[in-house]
Amino acid sequence: GGREEVNNLSWMLYAADVSQSVSALLGMIAFFGFLAFVGLMVGWFSTYDQPRIFSWEDQEKKTAAHEKIHNTLGGFAKVTALVAVVCGITASVIPSRNTIYAIAASELGEDVLKSQTAGKALKALDAWLDKQIGEGGEK
């Protein structure tokens, strides 16, 4: 029914209103995620070699801590890269406000054309046009 169509139209108008905000937020998350990824990769590469160990330090403990930091940086880099890519792609495919308005107008127009009133109006318009054409031809 008609109530459901109006409700869908309301949701479309709401989506149009928030689409720009959501797209901007996701774009910002993607940008900062990329920056975090670059920083983490710099840290990961800087911990790639074995740590410097002096004779008085515990070699096993320092090596284990260094490897843990290296692996943690690599894990966070993967997560931030994934977040940045997903948010960037999602931000780019969210339709603009005008596109959503056009979709809503198209849906509403289709519903109007399918209604009985629209059918009667088209028949009345056709009859009126036929009458006008008929009167114009007689003169």
Side-chain angles (χ1 to χ4, degrees), residues 78-98:
K78 289 176 187 175
V79 170
T80 57
L82 180 64
V83 167
V85 168
V86 168
C87 287
I89 290 172
T90 305
S92 67
V93 298
I94 291 176
S96 71
R97 177 182 293 180
N98 290 338

Side-chain angles (χ1 to χ4, degrees), residues 77-133:
K78 289 176 187 175
V79 170
T80 57
L82 180 64
V83 167
V85 168
V86 168
C87 287
I89 290 172
T90 305
S92 67
V93 298
I94 291 176
S96 71
R97 177 182 293 180
N98 290 338
T99 301
I100 296 175
Y101 283 153
I103 292 169
S106 170
E107 298 262 333
L108 185 62
E110 184 179 340
D111 292 340
V112 167
L113 286 176
K114 289 179 180 177
S115 73
Q116 288 181 348
T117 306
K120 290 177 184 177
L122 286 174
K123 286 179 186 176
L125 179 61
D126 281 343
W128 182 81
L129 286 172
D130 289 343
K131 183 179 176 187
Q132 296 301 315
I133 293 169

Side-chain angles (χ1 to χ4, degrees), residues 1-17 100-109 111-112:
R3 178 120 173 94
E4 187 177 304
E5 293 161 2
V6 171
N7 196 20
N8 288 341
L9 180 62
S10 298
W11 280 110
M12 294 286 284
L13 295 176
Y14 174 75
D17 195 43
I100 296 175
Y101 283 153
I103 292 169
S106 170
E107 298 262 333
L108 185 62
D111 292 340
V112 167

Side-chain angles (χ1 to χ4, degrees), residues 42-90:
V42 167
W44 185 79
F45 279 118
S46 71
T47 59
Y48 197 73
D49 292 334
Q50 291 295 321
R52 290 186 186 160
I53 298 174
F54 300 99
S55 60
W56 64 85
E57 293 179 331
D58 184 3
Q59 181 176 355
E60 290 178 16
K61 193 174 188 181
K62 189 163 186 177
T63 303
H66 186 81
E67 285 180 17
K68 184 178 179 184
I69 290 170
H70 178 75
N71 292 336
T72 302
L73 289 173
F76 281 134
K78 289 176 187 175
V79 170
T80 57
L82 180 64
V83 167
V85 168
V86 168
C87 287
I89 290 172
T90 305

